[in-house]
Every structure is written in C-alpha cells, then in structure tokens.
Amino acid sequence: MARYTGPKGKLVRKFGENVFGNPKFDKLLSNKPYPPGQHGMSRKKVSDYGMQLKEKQKLKIMYGLLERQFRKYFKKAEQMQGVTGENLLKLLEGRLDNTIFRLGLSVSRTQARQLVLHRHITVNNKVVNIPSFTLSKGDTIQVREKSRKLAVFHESLKKARTESMYPWLNLDKAQLTGEFLYSPQREEIPVNIQENMIVELYSK
C-alpha cells in the first residue's frame, strides 16, 4: 500500500492546505499558516520547474500515490479523449478509497484505504479490498453488514460535510450506502491543483 509515513503536519504546512483531508489539520493551518522550518515565513522565488514539481507532489500525496502508480494514471489519462490534466483528476476521483472519503464514511483517504484493505467495503454487493479499484457509473458502495456497527463509520458521518458538495455521489446515511452516479467534471472536483503544470512537467 502506498502511504506517506513521515510527519504529516509538516507537509500540510508546506503546501499551505489540508492535503490529507483530515479535519485535525485544519486547526494546525489556522495556527501556523506558513511553511515549517527556520525560514518558513520568508518568501522565496520558485522556478517554473519547482512549481510544476510541487503541484505533482501535492497531488500524489493528496491521493496517497507513489511515483510509479502516479505515472500509470498519467499515461492512462493521456490515452483518453479530452484534456489530459482533467482526465487525470477524474481517474483519481474514481478510486474506491477516495470515494469512501468523499461520501463521509471516513475522515481521510488514509483511513478509507485501511477500511477497504480490512474488507469492510463492498461494491455491487461484492467485497473489494483494493483501494485503487476504479468505480464506474452506477456502482453501489456499501459498508458490509457485519461492519455497520463499527464506530468509525458513524463518527465519520457526524463530521462529514453535506452530501450536496459532490453531485456525482449519492449517500444513504441510514444504510451506509453510496452510489457513484457519474465521473465528475473538472469544475466539480474540489482540489486546489493546477493540473496543467503537471502535464507540462511530464511533457519535458
């Protein structure tokens, strides 16, 4: 499983946003809205390459990917019809772990990944333990019957924002069930990423 094991707080401050999605980092950013380190508050000019690399790193960390996995998604996005950068984001949003996070069944993508690996989730009534599983239009995501009493799901839903934030998803809180209605458009995906910079980086 691809995961970052270092100090997450430093990365959140480095990028200036809650790239992990966990609400606990929102308070950290409000208290320390500047990069970590001795020179965190100083302004330093960044080259075009540096900006492109930062956007790629931010997106990789956000969705919990290693370089090799990320390159596979990028190559697939290039082969699809449409804009490569937008295709990349659509592919990442279609991951099962990300969708569980978006539905509010977990407080972060990292936690969602763990829930999938521990076989708590079904897709179309079949257990799926692959976090990178790609969802298709109409797929139903559900918490397994024997896992529905787990506090993690109910606590996450209490902290979750309104379902209307993600129009491509439908959530039934009572049944702990969600539906992937369609692949979202770029303007619907709430990520602060300049995907065109990532395309430029890989085009060199």
Side-chain angles (χ1 to χ4, degrees), residues 51-59 193-194 198:
M51 292 175 65
Q52 293 165 356
L53 187 61
K54 184 177 180 179
E55 289 299 300
K56 185 191 76 168
Q57 290 174 332
K58 184 166 67 171
L59 191 60
I193 289 289
Q194 297 183 63
I198 299 174

Side-chain angles (χ1 to χ4, degrees), residues 85-145:
E86 294 182 8
N87 290 339
L88 176 62
L89 293 178
K90 289 180 181 180
L91 289 172
L92 296 178
E93 280 296 318
R95 285 173 57 100
L96 178 58
D97 55 358
N98 176 75
T99 301
I100 291 169
F101 166 64
R102 293 292 192 207
L103 286 168
L105 295 172
S106 69
V107 296
S108 67
R109 292 181 180 88
T110 302
Q111 187 183 69
R113 196 171 299 123
Q114 290 288 342
L115 293 171
V116 174
L117 288 169
H118 292 165
R119 304 176 68 84
H120 293 303
I121 303 296
T122 67
V123 177
N124 299 331
N125 297 317
K126 294 182 180 180
V127 175
V128 176
N129 64 345
I130 303 172
S132 62
F133 180 87
T134 301
L135 294 167
S136 300
K137 179 180 178 181
D139 280 349
T140 299
I141 306 96
Q142 190 170 40
V143 176
R144 290 183 70 181
E145 183 94 29

Side-chain angles (χ1 to χ4, degrees), residues 25-186:
F25 293 118
D26 291 332
K27 185 176 181 181
L28 174 64
L29 281 173
S30 63
N31 292 334
K32 297 182 178 181
Y34 49 84
Q38 183 179 357
H39 305 289
M41 298 185 74
S42 63
R43 293 186 177 182
K44 189 176 180 181
K45 188 175 181 180
V46 182
S47 66
D48 289 343
Y49 174 77
M51 292 175 65
Q52 293 165 356
L53 187 61
K54 184 177 180 179
E55 289 299 300
K56 185 191 76 168
Q57 290 174 332
K58 184 166 67 171
L59 191 60
K60 280 170 54 182
I61 290 168
M62 190 178 292
Y63 288 92
L65 304 177
L66 293 178
E67 180 63 26
R68 188 175 179 182
Q69 292 174 303
F70 192 81
R71 280 183 177 274
K72 285 184 178 179
Y73 277 111
F74 186 83
K75 287 181 179 179
K76 187 173 182 180
E78 280 187 311
Q79 295 168 358
M80 295 167 59
Q81 290 186 344
V83 182
T84 299
E86 294 182 8
N87 290 339
L88 176 62
L89 293 178
K90 289 180 181 180
L91 289 172
L92 296 178
E93 280 296 318
R95 285 173 57 100
L96 178 58
D97 55 358
N98 176 75
T99 301
I100 291 169
F101 166 64
R102 293 292 192 207
L103 286 168
L105 295 172
S106 69
V107 296
S108 67
R109 292 181 180 88
T110 302
Q111 187 183 69
R113 196 171 299 123
Q114 290 288 342
L115 293 171
V116 174
L117 288 169
H118 292 165
R119 304 176 68 84
H120 293 303
I121 303 296
T122 67
V123 177
N124 299 331
N125 297 317
K126 294 182 180 180
V127 175
V128 176
N129 64 345
I130 303 172
S132 62
F133 180 87
T134 301
L135 294 167
S136 300
K137 179 180 178 181
D139 280 349
T140 299
I141 306 96
Q142 190 170 40
V143 176
R144 290 183 70 181
E145 183 94 29
K146 67 177 185 179
S147 303
R148 292 183 187 179
K149 292 184 179 180
L150 291 177
V152 61
F153 294 110
H154 301 282
E155 290 174 358
S156 296
L157 285 172
K158 286 180 182 178
K159 300 174 184 177
R161 299 172 184 176
T162 57
E163 304 91 285
S164 60
M165 282 188 66
Y166 312 115
W168 67 93
L169 300 176
N170 183 47
L171 172 67
D172 184 336
K173 289 186 177 181
Q175 298 299 319
L176 295 181
T177 301
E179 184 180 0
F180 191 82
L181 301 175
Y182 61 88
S183 181
Q185 297 300 308
R186 175 62 184 100

